[in-house]
Amino acid sequence: MTKPGVTTRQVHADRQLNHPADGAVHTSTTNAVLFEFEKTQDLVDVFQGKKMGHVYGRSSSGSMAALQTIIADMEGGIATACFATGMAAITSTMLSLFKAGDHLIVSQYLFGNTRSFLDTLMDLGVELTFVDVTSIRDVIAAKQDNTRAVFTETIANPVTQVADLRAIGKWCEEQKLLFMVDNTMTPPPAFDAKAMKVSLVLNSLTKYHGGHGHVLGGAVTDMGNFDWTSFSNIKPAYQVADERMWGITQIRKKGLRDLGATLAAQSAHLISVGIETLSLRMARSTENAMKLATYLESQDKIERVYYPGLSNHPQHYFAREQLGGYGAILSFDLVPGIDPCEFLDELKLVLSATHLGDTRTLALPVASTIFFENGQRERARMGITETMIRMSVGIEDTDDLVADFDQALAKF
Ligand SMILES: *Cc1c(COP(=O)(O)O)cnc(C)c1O
């Protein structure tokens, strides 16, 4: 039988891969922090990584393991580690893999908190070069002898720049560099990490996976195509028998166990339920985003719309060729003279709120909120205008969203 599609797997993964007891369709959550072993030797073997099992809730639990199986399956990877938040996944992964003296090539268009964390990483002695990831030439030009990895998002937020993922992946493979991609914007099937030769996929599960604004989580998935024997930062203790597992083992030990940002059992359950409708919600949100982008572009009170699905978007070609969807984030500038906050106050259905990937359509002025701390120069470098409004398009009926904008625009 051919492998079922991603949507089918998302619906059936928990039951089929995790085999919950009693034929339950969800893995039951455990609140247990500790796990008893009848034979002490088994406890010893689990500690030493010779046997699978759980010893302490900060490192692993059945609930977390169940979600990890589901995410690894949908990404097409070999193993996943889950964390308390998306930021925990990103920070724990980087802190467990890199050290002072390493150099990373990083997208200059990044989620604000990730960008802020990278300042901390630089303070710790990791060298970074920020590049325009829409240009493979800029990425290649940034390479140094001590370069370890390239890190980018698929579609950046809020300006929606699309990285040249295929070219970067191919180059990283040739150069034996770790290719790390934050795929929060385009969860499977919209992004095929394996085809783009990604080494590690990072996700905020808080966004589209959870999907309902009710749970925080994060994940890192090893796609199984990176040669960890060529990566000198793996500690001898984690150079376990299967070389493909060296990276995720170190991330689990150094990142999860030592840093301790563990995903709670109940959160793991809520995220796995969210994943069952991920493809449906994503498809609907993407369709709504395309329609809204087209509508907004035709309005004379809107100066500019940023959405990769529009044919005039600078990376429309990359998005069309490399992604299975244009995502559900779109941004726009109102014409000068209309205050973004006053405009957003006139929207009745659209919520003024941060967050993205929700069933509800959300909007906010970005320069004064999520990118306020960055300052105007940094914002300009990211392509963020001072009046830009970002929207995370939800799954509502399209006509209702358009009607909401119609009535709001009529007020100005
Ligand atoms: C939200 C987000 C994160 C952080 O995720 P949290 O779960 O909120 O910690 C990381 N990367 C991107 C692209 C995001 O949108």
Side-chain angles (χ1 to χ4, degrees):
M1 198 175 123
T2 55
K3 191 169 182 176
V6 175
T7 309
T8 304
R9 297 195 336 260
Q10 285 165 344
V11 172
H12 292 281
D14 202 357
R15 187 178 57 80
Q16 288 186 336
L17 301 175
N18 299 320
H19 309 292
D22 306 323
V25 295
H26 301 292
T27 296
S28 53
T29 58
T30 174
N31 294 322
V33 168
L34 68 160
F35 301 86
E36 184 206 4
F37 289 78
E38 274 176 32
K39 291 262 177 286
T40 309
Q41 186 59 47
D42 288 338
L43 172 67
V44 170
D45 287 347
V46 173
F47 255 93
Q48 294 184 7
K50 292 176 184 157
K51 273 192 183 153
M52 298 291 284
H54 310 295
V55 294
Y56 189 66
R58 175 159 30 77
S59 295
S60 69
S61 67
S63 305
M64 225 168 73
L67 180 61
Q68 288 170 172
T69 311
I70 298 169
I71 292 172
D73 180 69
M74 56 188 264
E75 292 285 356
I78 55 167
T80 296
C82 283
F83 295 85
T85 64
M87 282 317 300
I90 293 169
T91 58
S92 303
T93 298
M94 291 201 177
L95 290 170
S96 54
L97 292 181
F98 305 124
K99 59 176 197 252
D102 288 346
H103 172 253
L104 313 181
I105 300 170
V106 179
S107 170
Q108 71 190 41
Y109 315 117
L110 281 180
F111 176 65
N113 301 157
T114 304
R115 177 64 192 80
S116 172
F117 164 70
L118 292 177
D119 286 338
T120 309
L121 202 63
M122 284 190 276
D123 289 344
L124 294 172
V126 178
E127 251 185 281
L128 302 186
T129 305
F130 292 92
V131 300
D132 178 358
V133 286
T134 69
S135 159
I136 181 64
R137 257 189 253 145
D138 286 20
V139 176
I140 292 173
K143 178 150 189 290
Q144 304 179 179
D145 288 344
N146 56 341
T147 303
R148 296 268 172 204
V150 177
F151 175 74
T152 185
E153 295 169 9
T154 53
I155 301 178
N157 142 39
V159 189
T160 71
Q161 295 97 340
V162 185
D164 190 355
L165 298 154
R166 194 187 301 280
I168 300 173
K170 187 165 167 281
W171 180 71
C172 283
E173 188 184 50
E174 287 162 10
Q175 302 291 322
K176 292 184 183 295
L177 294 176
L178 196 65
F179 183 25
M180 300 169 70
V181 173
D182 179 338
N183 185 31
T184 299
M185 292 300 159
T186 47
F191 178 61
D192 185 347
K194 193 155 239 167
M196 299 293 156
K197 305 193 182 297
V198 177
S199 323
L200 295 175
V201 177
L202 295 132
N203 286 109
S204 166
L205 305 175
T206 314
K207 310 292 173 53
Y208 294 102
H209 294 68
H212 300 76
H214 69 332
V215 57
L216 292 154
V220 55
T221 299
D222 189 325
M223 296 305 298
N225 50 22
F226 184 72
D227 176 11
W228 290 102
T229 62
S230 71
F231 193 82
S232 58
N233 288 355
I234 302 295
K235 309 271 182 225
Y238 309 135
Q239 296 181 6
V240 287
D242 183 351
E243 290 162 359
R244 298 197 314 161
M245 297 300 282
W246 288 12
I248 201 79
T249 302
Q250 181 150 314
I251 292 168
R252 283 186 177 145
K253 300 289 186 183
K254 292 281 163 197
L256 194 56
R257 183 197 64 188
D258 295 0
L259 296 174
T262 308
L263 184 70
Q266 193 63 24
S267 297
H269 168 67
L270 291 174
I271 292 164
S272 72
V273 173
I275 288 171
E276 293 182 19
T277 55
L278 173 60
S279 293
L280 298 184
R281 287 182 285 104
M282 200 69 213
R284 174 59 173 249
S285 289
T286 303
E287 190 187 319
N288 274 350
M290 186 71 211
K291 287 182 181 158
L292 261 186
T294 310
Y295 160 82
L296 290 170
E297 225 189 6
S298 72
Q299 300 300 306
D300 52 14
K301 286 168 195 154
I302 308 282
E303 184 154 273
R304 181 158 173 204
V305 180
Y306 307 79
Y307 184 63
L310 296 174
S311 57
N312 62 6
H313 185 283
Q315 294 91 38
H316 176 66
Y317 175 79
F318 288 164
R320 205 182 60 205
E321 297 298 314
Q322 305 185 6
L323 301 173
Y326 299 112
I329 299 298
L330 71 85
S331 295
F332 63 91
D333 289 315
L334 293 157
V335 292
I338 305 182
D339 180 76
C341 292
E342 285 175 21
F343 176 74
L344 289 177
D345 285 346
E346 294 299 336
L347 290 168
K348 304 287 180 257
L349 190 60
V350 176
L351 286 69
S352 283
T354 189
H355 187 46
L356 59 89
D358 205 73
T359 50
R360 290 152 280 251
T361 299
L362 317 173
L364 87 170
V366 285
S368 53
T369 59
I370 47 177
F371 286 93
F372 182 66
E373 209 180 284
N374 301 68
Q376 189 168 353
R377 253 185 69 192
E378 176 83 16
R379 285 196 290 273
R381 199 164 126 86
M382 293 175 159
I384 300 169
T385 65
E386 294 302 293
T387 55
M388 183 175 282
I389 291 175
R390 182 195 76 188
M391 292 178 62
S392 166
V393 182
I395 64 170
E396 297 95 336
D397 293 298
T398 322
D399 291 348
D400 294 329
L401 291 172
V402 171
D404 199 21
F405 274 90
D406 261 341
Q407 64 81 26
L409 285 167
K411 305 246 168 73
F412 293 88

